[in-house]
Amino acid sequence: MRALALGIALFVAAPASAQVPSAVTDSIQYLRTRADGMGSKYAEQAAAWRARADAFERIAKEGRDPYAEQRGKIVTRAYRSEITGSLQGYSVYLPPDYDPKKEWPLVIVMHGGSSNGNLFLGVVLGNNMNWKEYSTYWWNEFEPRWLPNCIVVSPDGFGQVLWRWMGEKDVLDVIVDTEKHYAVDPNRIVLAGLSNGGVGAYSIGTRHAWRFSVVQAMAGAPSWLQYTGGRPKEAELRVMRQVSGMDLAANVSATDFRYYHGHLDGGPMKPWFVEAFTQRLAELGVKAKETWYDTGHDILYLVEKHGRTFEQLREVSRNPHPTEVRVSTSDYRAARQHWLEATRIENYPSQAELRGAVDGATLHITVEGARAFAVHIADALPSRPADVRIEVNGTVAYAGPMADLGNVAHFVRAAAGKPFELGFPEDEGALSKRPGLSGPLTDAYFGRTVHVYGTGNPETRDALLKSAKRGAGGWPQWLWNFEQPVLADTEVTDAVLASANVVLYTTGADNAVYTRLRDKLPIQITADGVRIGAKTHSGKDVGTRFIYPNPLAPNRYVVVQGGPTPAAVDAGHRLPDFVPDYVIYDKASTQTRPRLVSSKPPLELGFFDDTWHLPAGFGNTATGAATPVGGEHAEGAELAPTFTESSLPVPEAPPAPPAPTTFLAAASDPAGKAARAMAKRIASFPSFRTTIRGATWNTNAGAVWQVRPGAACEAALAKAGVPFRAAPADKPMATPVATPVVITGPIQGVAFRMLHADRELVMSCELATRLPALAGALRARGVRKVGVISTYRDHPTVSFHTFGLAIDISQFSTDSDTLSVEKDFPATPNQETCKAKPSGNPRGDTLRAIVCDVAKLGVFSSVLTPNYNAGHRDHVHLDLRPDDPRQFLR
C-alpha cells in the first residue's frame, strides 16, 4: 500500500471538501505549507500568510471564490505539479476592474537571481528595492503601486534553474492554470523576464514563440554556449542548443520579439552576447526590436517606464494565422510554431529547419533535418478553401479537398531523397525516438518521476537510499522547492511503472527492478565497472547515468544511476547540468561538481541513435528490447516476459468488404467528414487479424453499421442513459474521430475507469453506444468496475484506437475481487479461446467466461485477448469497424 501511496497518490490532487473548490483548497493549503517552511527569519511574514489562508477559507466556505475577489491585489495561488506531485505556487495580480465576462491580456514575468515569484511580482508592480536586499523581502505581502489593466502572473520556476526543463514546464503549467481560473485572451499572452528570467525569455520565447503575442528578454543571455564558457563536448553542445535562443532565433519570425540590454552590464550577461544575437537575426532575415541603455544590469524600470509599458503590451495581439512560418528545433517538446510542426527529427537531437508559406490555397513548405512533419491545416488556412495544394521541397505532396485532411495533415518521407507523402512514420509503437520518448537525460525532468533504491544488499541499502533522496531533489544545481517520491525497489508495482519514469540506484544485483531490466538495457553494471555494448570500463569508482525506454512500461523512461560501489553511484550526482543520453564517469571526472558542462571529460558521453541503439564503435549494440508484436497495440507490450506462439493453423478469413461508397452522415456533418477520412485510411491498413493462428471468425450481416450524424448518435447515447459530454471542441483530435465524447459516469451500474489518472475516457460516440450492452454482460457476471488502459489515442496509425473505436480493459472488479488480465487470464495458445478446456484456475476461468460472454454479444468487430499476441497479454481489446460484417475472436 505504501508504494501505491507514494508512487501514485502524490500525482493526484487532494479531494476538495463539499464547500471549497479543489483549486482553492490546494491554494489555501499551499499558503499554509509555505508559511510553515519560512523559518524563524520570516516569522512575521509566515503569520501574515496563515492569516490570509484563514480569511480565504472563510470566504470559500460561504460559497465564493476568494481569489476572484482579489482585484487590484497581489496574491499567491498554486497548482499541483505533474513533475513533483506537490503543490507549486505562483503569484497573480488582477486589475481593479477585472470582469470575468470578457477576455484579458496576460503578462508572465520571470524573476532573476536571488528572487522568487512572490517578490518579483511585487517589484514588477512598483515596489523597488536594491537586489542585494531581496532575501529580506522574499515572503512579504506586497501591495501593487502600479495598477496595469491586465492580468500579471509570476511563476516560481523551481528556484534558479534558469527556466530550463522543469522551470520551463512551470511557466507553461502556470499559463494553463491561469487560463482555468481567469478569463485570458489566448492571443494576448506576453512572456517577459529579467536577468536569469531574461535567459528564460530568450529560451522559452524562441522555443515556444508561437504561443506569445510579445516576448520581452531583459538583460539576459541569448545563448547557453555564451553563458557557459569553457570547452563543452559536442554532445553537451547539442543539449545546450535545445534551449538556446541563439540557435532557435528563426522561430520568432512571426512573433513580436523584443530584447533589451545595458551597454555597461558587467555581470554574467555580457553585452557582446546580445550583439551576437542581433547579428544572428540579421543573418536569418528575422526582424525583432532591439533596445540599448547606457547603464548596467538593472534595467527593469527603464523597460517598464513606471508601468506604462503594460498599456502598450496589452494592445498587441498575436497573429494565429501567419502566412509565413519558420520552425527551428532539435527538441520534440518545442517542435511547433503556429501551423507547422516537426514530428520526426533525423539523428535526434540534431537541428531540423522547416519553412512554410501560404499562397492563396497553396502551402509551400521546405524541410531539412526532419523525416516527418505535420500541418495544422485550419490554422494555416482559416478561410477553409474547398481544395488545397501542399508542395514540399518543390514536389506536390497533396492536392485535393481540404476536408479530407482533417484538422492536422501528417507527412512522412520513406527514406532520404524520397518525396514527402501523406502518412505517419512507420515506427509508431517500435523502439524509436519519438515525442515523449526521445531523451536526452534532461527530457525526464519534464515528467512524473519516482526514485527507486535497491534493498537487496543490507550493506548498500542505506547508501543507495541516501543517493535516491539526493536525486529526488533534482539534478540541476540551484534547484529549489523540488522533491519527487522515493521508493524501495520492493515497493515498485506495475501501476507505479505505468504512471511514472523511474530512476534506479543500484550497484548491480541489489535493485530488484534493475535486475528485471538488465538484459534489455544497452549499458550494464558489472562487479568491477560498467559495460557499454561490448566495451567494459573497469574500476570501483566507475559509474553511469543513462536514460532509456522502460522495457516494463514502453511509454515511460527508466534512468539508471549505478556503479559497482555506493560511492560510484553517488558520484552520478556530480555530473554537470547539460547531459546527453548516457554518461560513463570515473572519480577523476566527478571529483568536483562542474556547474554546466564537464571540466574533465568523462569516460563516455553521447546519444543513442534514432532506434535507441548505441552508436558504432561499441561492438554488439543489440539490447534485446523487443518491438511489440502485431503492430496494432504498443502500450504494455513489454510487460510480457514471454509469449508462446500458437501451433494451430491460421484460419481462412472471410473476404474483406469493399470500401464504402455511401455514408449515413453527410459530408458537411463533422461525423460524415470523419467517416470518409476513416474509410480512406482503413483501406490502406494491413490485415493483421488474417495472420493470427487459432482465431475464430464469424460473418454477421446484421452487425454492419455506419457512422451516424453527430446529433443522431448523441441522441441515441442520451436515450440509452449513458452519461457523457462532448469532447472539448478547442482540443481537436489529431486523427479522424466521429463525434468524440467523454464518458462521465457509470453505465448500468458498471463504472468504466481510466487507470491513467491524467487521461479521460474519450471515444467515438459510436463505440459509446455499445457500452450498455457490454455493461449488461459484465454485470451478469458480477462485474461492477472495469479498469481501462486505453480508448482514443493518436497512435499507432494502423489502430482503430485512432478513430476512438477501440477500448482496452485490463481489470474486471466485482464487489469482492479484482481480476487482472495480465495475471489471471489463462493463455491457451493451442486452443481456440472460447473452446478451451477449463484451466483449473477459478479466477482465470471466470475471466475467460467474461470475455466469451462479451464476444457472444456480437456487437464488437474484434475481441482480442492475450492469445492474440504479446502486445495484448495485459488487456482485452474490443473494437468496432464500420461497414464490416466480419467478427473476430482470439
Side-chain angles (χ1 to χ4, degrees):
M1 291 300 294
R2 181 171 174 237
L4 181 63
L6 288 176
I8 298 176
L10 284 181
F11 298 135
V12 180
S17 69
Q19 300 88 1
V20 185
S22 60
V24 174
T25 302
D26 284 347
S27 294
I28 293 172
Q29 178 185 338
Y30 177 81
L31 295 178
R32 292 200 171 102
T33 302
R34 175 53 57 215
D36 292 344
M38 287 181 188
S40 58
K41 179 180 178 180
Y42 302 102
E44 184 178 344
Q45 290 96 326
W49 281 53
R50 292 190 187 98
R52 175 168 280 184
D54 292 341
F56 281 9
E57 187 166 49
R58 288 192 296 270
I59 294 172
K61 287 182 177 179
E62 294 172 1
R64 308 189 330 261
D65 180 351
Y67 283 93
E69 298 180 5
Q70 305 306 306
R71 296 171 175 83
K73 302 286 186 182
I74 296 174
V75 294
T76 296
R77 64 181 308 147
Y79 70 94
R80 194 165 294 275
S81 170
E82 177 191 14
I83 302 175
T84 63
S86 303
L87 293 175
Q88 176 71 359
Y90 65 96
S91 296
V92 59
Y93 157 87
L94 290 183
D97 59 348
Y98 172 75
D99 180 355
K101 294 181 181 178
K102 67 175 185 178
E103 292 183 332
W104 294 77
L106 169 66
V107 179
I108 305 103
V109 292
M110 297 180 292
H111 64 75
S114 306
S115 187
N116 62 15
N118 176 70
L119 170 70
F120 193 59
L121 187 52
V123 171
V124 164
L125 295 181
N127 294 274
N128 193 15
M129 65 188 75
N130 189 312
W131 68 268
K132 296 179 180 179
E133 300 175 352
Y134 276 2
S135 62
T136 304
Y137 302 103
W138 267 2
W139 306 115
N140 278 35
E141 289 191 314
F142 293 99
E143 289 289 334
R145 297 189 177 185
W146 304 331
L147 301 173
N149 203 22
C150 52
I151 303 169
V152 188
V153 300
S154 186
D156 219 34
F158 294 110
Q160 299 301 329
V161 75
L162 282 86
W163 306 100
R164 298 164 295 167
W165 310 313
M166 57 280 285
E168 173 184 298
K169 190 169 190 326
D170 186 37
V171 171
L172 301 181
D173 286 346
V174 164
I175 294 173
V176 171
D177 199 65
T178 304
E179 290 175 326
K180 284 182 182 177
H181 305 301
Y182 305 106
V184 173
D185 183 343
N187 289 321
R188 289 189 292 167
I189 299 179
V190 178
L191 180 73
L194 174 73
S195 190
N196 285 0
V199 178
Y202 279 114
S203 176
I204 301 173
T206 54
R207 282 167 58 80
H208 305 285
W210 70 286
R211 294 171 176 255
F212 305 112
S213 55
V214 179
V215 176
Q216 284 190 305
M218 298 173 280
S223 166
W224 274 100
L225 176 58
Q226 295 169 333
Y227 184 82
T228 300
R231 296 182 177 180
K233 304 298 174 285
E234 177 58 31
E236 294 169 314
L237 283 172
R238 291 174 72 183
V239 182
M240 285 185 197
R241 291 177 182 129
Q242 290 186 316
V243 291
S244 286
M246 185 77 76
D247 294 276
L248 309 174
N251 293 330
V252 307
S253 61
T255 298
D256 188 334
F257 194 95
R258 309 177 183 187
Y259 58 107
Y260 311 79
H261 216 82
H263 284 299
L264 306 179
D265 193 332
M269 318 296 182
K270 308 296 184 185
W272 73 264
F273 295 176
V274 179
E275 293 167 354
F277 184 69
T278 300
Q279 182 177 345
R280 177 61 177 158
L281 292 175
E283 293 169 354
L284 294 169
V286 173
K287 294 181 180 179
K289 298 175 182 177
E290 174 189 16
T291 302
W292 287 88
Y293 301 99
D294 291 324
T295 185
H297 190 63
D298 190 3
I299 62 172
L300 177 64
Y301 287 174
L302 293 173
V303 176
E304 285 198 330
K305 299 177 181 176
H306 295 278
R308 295 192 300 275
T309 299
F310 284 107
E311 297 308 308
Q312 300 172 7
L313 296 175
R314 73 183 310 276
E315 299 302 322
V316 181
S317 290
R318 78 178 185 116
N319 179 5
H321 312 292
T323 57
E324 294 189 9
V325 174
R326 298 176 70 170
V327 179
S328 183
T329 182
S330 58
D331 185 358
Y332 288 129
R333 295 191 184 273
R336 177 180 176 183
Q337 299 298 333
H338 298 281
W339 47 266
L340 195 54
E341 180 177 10
T343 57
R344 287 298 182 277
I345 297 171
E346 294 175 333
N347 192 26
Y348 191 87
S350 296
Q351 200 88 350
E353 303 285 346
L354 293 79
R355 299 186 70 157
V358 180
D359 179 12
T362 298
L363 302 182
H364 301 279
I365 299 170
T366 60
V367 180
E368 295 181 13
R371 59 184 179 86
F373 69 93
V375 178
H376 296 260
I377 197 73
D379 288 344
L381 298 167
S383 63
R384 304 193 71 85
D387 295 299
V388 300
R389 179 185 176 93
I390 301 177
E391 296 180 358
V392 184
N393 293 342
T395 300
V396 177
Y398 177 81
M402 180 174 173
D404 288 354
L405 294 176
N407 293 311
V408 183
H410 290 266
F411 294 86
V412 66
R413 184 175 59 196
K418 297 287 186 180
F420 282 90
E421 299 177 339
L422 273 175
F424 294 82
E426 295 182 357
D427 58 11
E428 293 289 359
L431 194 64
S432 61
K433 288 190 173 181
R434 57 186 187 271
L437 207 70
S438 61
L441 278 156
T442 52
D443 196 56
Y445 301 170
F446 288 89
R448 302 171 176 176
T449 301
V450 175
H451 297 256
V452 180
Y453 63 98
T455 63
N457 183 348
E459 296 182 0
T460 62
R461 180 186 185 279
D462 290 347
L464 294 178
L465 170 59
K466 183 178 180 180
S467 288
K469 288 182 175 179
R470 286 186 64 184
W475 284 291
Q477 290 194 63
W478 301 347
L479 192 64
W480 301 342
N481 304 320
F482 186 91
E483 186 175 359
Q484 294 174 321
V486 175
L487 292 178
D489 54 353
T490 54
E491 298 173 311
V492 176
T493 65
D494 286 345
V496 171
L497 296 175
S499 68
N501 306 319
V502 291
V503 184
L504 307 180
Y505 299 85
T506 180
T507 61
D510 53 13
N511 190 309
V513 182
Y514 171 74
T515 57
R516 292 175 66 190
L517 304 176
R518 178 172 49 206
D519 293 340
K520 294 185 177 181
L521 299 176
I523 301 174
Q524 289 96 27
I525 314 302
T526 68
D528 62 351
V530 173
R531 182 172 62 250
I532 176 168
K535 183 178 180 180
T536 297
H537 291 278
S538 298
K540 295 298 183 182
D541 62 347
V542 173
T544 184
R545 193 198 307 162
F546 68 90
I547 191 169
Y548 198 72
N550 187 346
L552 298 177
N555 292 319
R556 297 287 184 178
Y557 287 122
V558 59
V559 175
V560 176
Q561 184 166 318
T565 65
V569 176
D570 200 61
H573 293 308
R574 294 193 292 276
L575 295 175
D577 280 3
F578 289 105
V579 280
D581 291 349
Y582 62 85
V583 183
I584 298 178
Y585 52 83
D586 59 6
K587 186 175 182 178
S589 55
T590 55
Q591 188 71 42
T592 59
R593 169 71 191 266
R595 171 68 179 97
L596 297 169
V597 296
S598 302
S599 53
K600 182 173 178 56
L603 301 173
E604 305 284 355
L605 186 77
F607 295 92
F608 300 110
D609 68 15
D610 285 345
T611 57
W612 284 99
H613 285 78
L614 289 163
F618 290 104
N620 178 17
T621 62
T623 64
T627 298
V629 179
E632 281 200 52
H633 186 77
E635 289 186 310
E638 281 302 312
L639 292 173
T642 60
F643 177 75
T644 303
E645 286 286 354
S646 172
S647 62
L648 295 176
V650 176
E652 184 177 355
T661 57
T662 60
F663 298 88
L664 276 181
S668 58
D669 188 298
K673 293 180 181 178
R676 288 160 173 80
M678 287 160 54
K680 185 175 181 179
R681 290 183 57 188
I682 291 170
S684 65
F685 277 15
S687 185
F688 297 114
R689 296 184 300 172
T690 62
T691 65
I692 299 298
R693 296 175 181 272
T696 303
W697 284 95
N698 180 42
T699 300
N700 180 5
V704 175
W705 62 280
Q706 288 192 314
V707 172
R708 289 168 278 192
C713 189
E714 289 186 345
L717 205 55
K719 183 177 180 180
V722 176
F724 76 97
R725 58 179 168 82
D730 61 343
K731 296 181 179 179
M733 303 293 187
T735 51
V737 179
T739 319
V741 297
V742 180
I743 304 303
T744 58
I747 299 169
Q748 295 189 8
V750 178
F752 291 79
R753 181 173 61 92
M754 287 296 291
L755 295 181
H756 296 280
D758 59 340
R759 303 180 191 176
E760 292 185 302
L761 201 64
V762 180
M763 62 185 68
S764 169
C765 175
E766 296 292 352
L767 177 60
T769 61
R770 273 64 167 186
L771 294 185
L774 174 59
L778 297 177
R779 194 177 64 255
R781 290 282 181 177
V783 175
R784 295 293 179 265
K785 184 189 300 182
V786 295
V788 179
I789 61 173
S790 183
T791 50
Y792 168 77
R793 61 175 187 270
D794 60 7
H795 66 279
T797 57
V798 292
S799 171
F800 277 72
H801 283 285
T802 64
F803 306 138
L805 293 176
I807 182 171
D808 293 340
I809 302 173
S810 67
Q811 295 176 356
F812 297 81
S813 300
T814 65
D815 290 335
S816 59
D817 195 11
T818 294
L819 302 177
S820 164
V821 176
E822 179 188 0
K823 297 177 180 178
D824 297 320
F825 191 91
T828 53
N830 293 316
Q831 302 175 63
E832 291 186 38
T833 299
C834 290
K835 295 180 181 179
K837 298 177 182 178
S839 68
N841 176 2
R843 293 168 60 83
D845 290 339
T846 298
L847 185 52
R848 182 163 55 198
I850 291 172
V851 171
C852 294
D853 285 352
V854 172
K856 290 176 184 176
L857 292 172
V859 300
F860 295 104
S861 303
S862 302
V863 178
L864 312 182
T865 74
N867 284 329
Y868 183 75
N869 65 19
H872 291 73
R873 78 165 305 276
D874 66 335
H875 65 278
V876 174
H877 168 101
L878 310 173
D879 69 38
L880 297 178
R881 303 183 179 221
D883 302 287
D884 196 335
R886 300 173 300 167
Q887 294 178 325
F888 178 90
L889 167 67
R890 186 57 173 134

